[in-house]
Amino acid sequence: MTGGEPQQSERVPALVEQFKGGLAAPICLTWEWTYACNLACAHCLSSSGRRDPDELTTGEMMSVIDELRAMQVFYVNVGGGEPTVRPDFWELLDYAVASQVGVKFSTNGLRLDAGRARRLAGTDYVDVQISLDGASRQVNDAVRGHGSYDMALRAMENLAEAGMADFKISVVMTRHNVCQLDDFARIADRFGAQLRITRLRPSGRGADVWHELHPTAEQQREIYSWLIDHGDRVLTGDSFFHLNALGATAIPGLNLCGAGRVVCLIDPVGDVYACPFAIHDTFKAGSLRSPGGFAEVWRSAPLFAQLRTETSGGACRSCSAFSTCQGGCMAAKFFTGLPLDGPDPECVKGHGASGLTAAAGAGLPRAEKDHSHHRRAVDVGMPSIRVPAKPCDSSPLAVTT
């Protein structure tokens, strides 16, 4: 082919190669606004539950939004914890929208009553993502807690009735819900929403349940086949590129680990990590409370410079599937004790199995931060009284307006 526009198959690899070297600003910035949460999900990546006393203040949060606007970051993925329990959540949301920094926030649905749903439906630059890990009450609540299924569906009903089109339903795939993929799609269709499925990572509390909950090899093939058939209607956050080694057809997406290249994480106290799934000092690039703020960390952190260089690929380089799976997920390898230049623990060729066997019983890396509820029942209902929003030991269910 000579002249004219390159075909899609030619453009995408070139784009991926450009992304490998990093960009002036992240395409996808995940920003956890609080560790406080009304739930205690078994697989929580950030081990959320209690508020951190060093949480960024409202003023600091607004300064970060100003910085993101100056860097021309188009939107951020806001999470937690449960972000809506921050007393200033709606104020910060309005500030970001006024600054033309779009917000996609993930929520278990706790605060999304009919009034707030109408408010969100009438707001530009905002998208909502409801977490649901089972298409049935039994499957969902076993992972997310009693009452969480009904709470999530109530929020979806409120958003749908308010006319908010294409909000997201976010599902972490486990061996108990792979068989429900069609059911999840039907739930999304029922509410006029879009389905998003992501991979279970052995991070945070997820490390304790990964061996029990991550999909089997047969289920991995089922996910791959389902995405090939439905991928044009389903978002994945590029979670499943390791499955591309299963066939000639690639799952839609970048087929790239974007850690420190096109994505990163800001946690509630302002620490910046290369990957939302790797909250560990090994992947900590700096703090936005340091001179130069977030922009300095993104542009100059030695860790990010290292991640933006070409990697050897290690033993995976000799595999015929390396160009399609790129060695898999960095976080999944790290928290299962595998070398970062080795195979993914869920390598579909089986190359990760021997590494997992060797790592079994060894001291595996653990996230340093754990804000879990300890020995305390978690109520997913709305509080009947106003609770003071004290740091750390306060109820995350403090009423906000």
Side-chain angles (χ1 to χ4, degrees):
M1 178 179 178
T2 58
E5 287 293 317
Q7 294 180 346
Q8 180 70 15
S9 59
E10 296 173 321
R11 289 198 304 268
V12 172
L15 190 62
V16 169
E17 290 305 312
Q18 180 181 349
F19 286 171
K20 285 181 178 179
L23 300 175
I27 289 177
C28 178
L29 170 65
T30 297
W31 188 3
E32 296 182 342
W33 280 9
T34 185
Y35 282 120
C37 191
N38 56 303
L39 299 183
C41 299
H43 56 8
C44 180
L45 294 168
S46 55
S47 300
S48 292
R50 296 170 294 121
R51 220 177 134 197
D52 193 294
D54 292 326
E55 216 170 73
L56 295 172
T57 66
T58 304
E60 287 177 311
M61 298 281 283
M62 289 180 172
S63 293
V64 176
I65 292 170
D66 292 342
E67 194 172 6
L68 298 179
R69 177 185 59 196
M71 293 177 70
Q72 297 183 321
V73 173
F74 181 64
Y75 81 95
V76 295
N77 286 318
V78 169
E82 170 53 42
T84 64
V85 304
R86 262 193 79 115
D88 56 2
F89 173 81
W90 302 100
E91 179 184 2
L92 291 171
L93 184 70
D94 288 344
Y95 189 82
V97 169
S99 301
Q100 295 188 319
V101 175
V103 172
K104 178 192 292 182
F105 72 91
S106 298
T107 176
N108 55 46
L110 175 71
R111 302 290 192 200
L112 294 192
D113 57 21
R116 289 195 175 107
R118 288 192 295 270
R119 174 178 175 178
L120 290 168
T123 305
D124 292 330
Y125 297 108
V126 174
D127 195 9
V128 184
Q129 188 165 277
I130 307 293
S131 298
L132 187 75
D133 293 332
S136 63
R137 186 177 292 105
Q138 179 182 12
V139 172
N140 178 83
D141 289 9
V143 174
R144 302 188 60 82
H146 176 71
S148 57
Y149 178 86
D150 291 334
M151 183 170 61
L153 259 67
R154 190 161 55 242
M156 294 179 205
E157 289 169 354
N158 289 336
L159 290 170
E161 289 176 5
M164 187 162 195
D166 293 327
F167 66 87
K168 310 301 183 288
I169 299 175
S170 183
V171 179
V172 176
M173 300 309 303
T174 71
R175 66 183 56 179
H176 301 299
N177 66 18
V178 171
C179 63
Q180 296 183 322
L181 278 165
D182 288 333
D183 297 324
F184 283 120
R186 280 190 283 271
I187 292 174
D189 289 344
R190 169 186 166 190
F191 292 111
Q194 185 171 21
L195 181 61
R196 180 179 187 267
I197 68 171
T198 59
R199 183 181 177 185
L200 175 70
R201 262 78 170 200
S203 309
R205 287 198 296 268
D208 297 326
V209 298
W210 184 79
H211 286 284
E212 174 189 346
L213 290 183
H214 80 95
T216 65
E218 182 179 350
Q219 288 176 323
Q220 299 276 1
R221 294 184 178 88
E222 187 177 344
I223 293 170
Y224 171 78
S225 297
W226 194 88
L227 283 173
I228 294 303
D229 292 339
H230 301 86
D232 59 332
R233 300 174 53 219
V234 179
L235 301 175
T236 65
D238 294 313
S239 286
F240 299 103
F241 61 87
H242 69 294
L243 297 183
N244 284 331
L246 285 171
T249 304
I251 296 169
L254 286 175
N255 187 29
L256 170 74
C257 172
R261 294 164 162 172
V262 296
V263 303
C264 71
L265 167 82
I266 300 174
D267 82 352
V269 299
D271 290 333
V272 182
Y273 295 86
C275 172
F277 310 113
I279 304 176
H280 188 279
D281 278 352
T282 300
F283 303 104
K284 182 179 173 181
S287 171
L288 54 78
R289 282 172 162 160
S290 299
F294 173 73
E296 179 65 20
V297 176
W298 177 257
R299 293 167 182 164
S300 304
L303 172 65
F304 287 169
Q306 177 184 350
L307 290 170
R308 292 164 189 169
T309 59
E310 183 67 25
T311 59
S312 67
C316 287
R317 180 67 74 173
S318 61
C319 178
S320 60
F322 179 74
S323 63
T324 59
C325 83
Q326 299 289 319
C329 173
M330 177 181 73
K333 293 186 232 185
F334 179 77
F335 286 112
T336 53
L338 301 182
L340 297 186
D341 63 352
D344 189 287
E346 294 181 300
C347 169
V348 298
K349 300 288 188 180
H351 299 314
S354 59
L356 288 174
T357 301
L364 299 180
R366 294 294 303 240
E368 284 87 356
K369 297 180 179 181
D370 189 342
H371 293 79
S372 301
H373 300 281
H374 293 293
R375 296 180 297 278
R376 184 159 69 105
V378 180
D379 181 9
V380 300
M382 293 293 288
S384 58
I385 59 173
R386 186 176 295 271
V387 182
K390 292 189 247 179
C392 198
D393 61 347
S394 64
S395 167
L397 292 173
V399 175
T400 60
T401 55

